[in-house]
Amino acid sequence: MNTHSSHVERYELPAFDGEPPDVSARVSADIETRSNAIVLYVHGDIDAYTITRWRHVLDDAFQRASGGRQLVVDLDEVTFMSCRSIIDLACRAQQHHTVRVSVVKAAPSVLDRIITAAGLAQWLTLHTDLADVISTSTDPPRPSLRVWTHREPDRGTPTHQ
């Protein structure tokens, strides 16, 4: 008997307050609750128009996974994903450093390049098979590190002319 899938509950995320009606048609998500993981199945386009919904979806998923569960984000049904949406996922993984985040994409070539180039692999592990991810045991939490911080130039140093 597989204890990792002993309790499976499917939940479709509702529309959020103030959200235009067509946003939920452009990007949707289902959350599957398992004994060892929360699986977030995402469908559609995650772009500038749908980014607010994406952030709400992520916040809900991280809240559900906060009890020590792994969060698996399945992006196989995502047709477009902006760089900003990937960064939002990584930032939330940093904020919730006790939640191990795995991303599933059967053909991850572009996603893999973005995660690697942006230095986000420490928080987002990429996999090509959902079953393999769910069956793995949990790893220790990752260290917290700030990414994408803006640094003001030093105005106290005189320039030489």
Side-chain angles (χ1 to χ4, degrees):
M1 180 177 161
N2 184 353
T3 60
H4 293 297
S5 61
S6 60
H7 176 68
V8 177
E9 171 191 343
R10 206 154 199 87
Y11 170 74
E12 186 168 334
L13 294 167
F16 298 101
D17 290 340
E19 184 176 77
D22 64 330
V23 170
S24 62
R26 289 185 57 185
V27 65
S28 62
D30 294 315
I31 292 180
E32 183 177 348
T33 303
R34 294 175 169 256
S35 61
N36 68 328
I38 297 295
V39 183
L40 177 66
Y41 298 94
V42 187
H43 318 276
D45 296 336
I46 309 169
D47 54 21
Y49 187 67
T50 61
I51 196 75
T52 301
R53 179 167 180 77
W54 170 245
R55 290 172 180 157
H56 285 294
V57 166
L58 289 177
D59 290 342
D60 186 60
F62 272 99
Q63 181 180 8
R64 291 168 181 268
S66 66
R69 290 187 177 136
Q70 174 182 7
L71 175 59
V72 180
V73 182
D74 186 334
L75 300 174
D76 271 346
E77 298 297 320
V78 171
T79 52
F80 177 82
M81 188 168 193
S82 69
C83 290
R84 178 75 248 173
S85 63
I86 297 167
I87 292 168
D88 284 344
L89 176 58
C91 287
R92 280 162 176 78
Q94 289 175 36
Q95 293 167 354
H96 300 273
H97 55 84
T98 60
V99 175
R100 184 173 63 131
V101 180
S102 297
V103 178
V104 176
K105 183 76 172 160
S109 62
V110 173
L111 184 62
D112 184 38
R113 286 190 300 235
I114 292 170
I115 289 172
T116 302
L120 304 175
Q122 183 176 2
W123 299 278
L124 304 176
T125 57
L126 191 58
H127 304 272
T128 56
D129 188 278
L130 179 63
D132 288 343
V133 176
I134 292 174
S135 67
T136 61
S137 62
T138 58
D139 292 337
R142 293 177 184 83
S144 181
L145 179 66
R146 295 174 72 178
V147 173
W148 303 108
T149 58
H150 176 72
R151 184 176 168 182
E152 290 293 325
D154 184 8
R155 305 218 189 265
T157 307
T159 57
H160 299 300
Q161 297 184 0

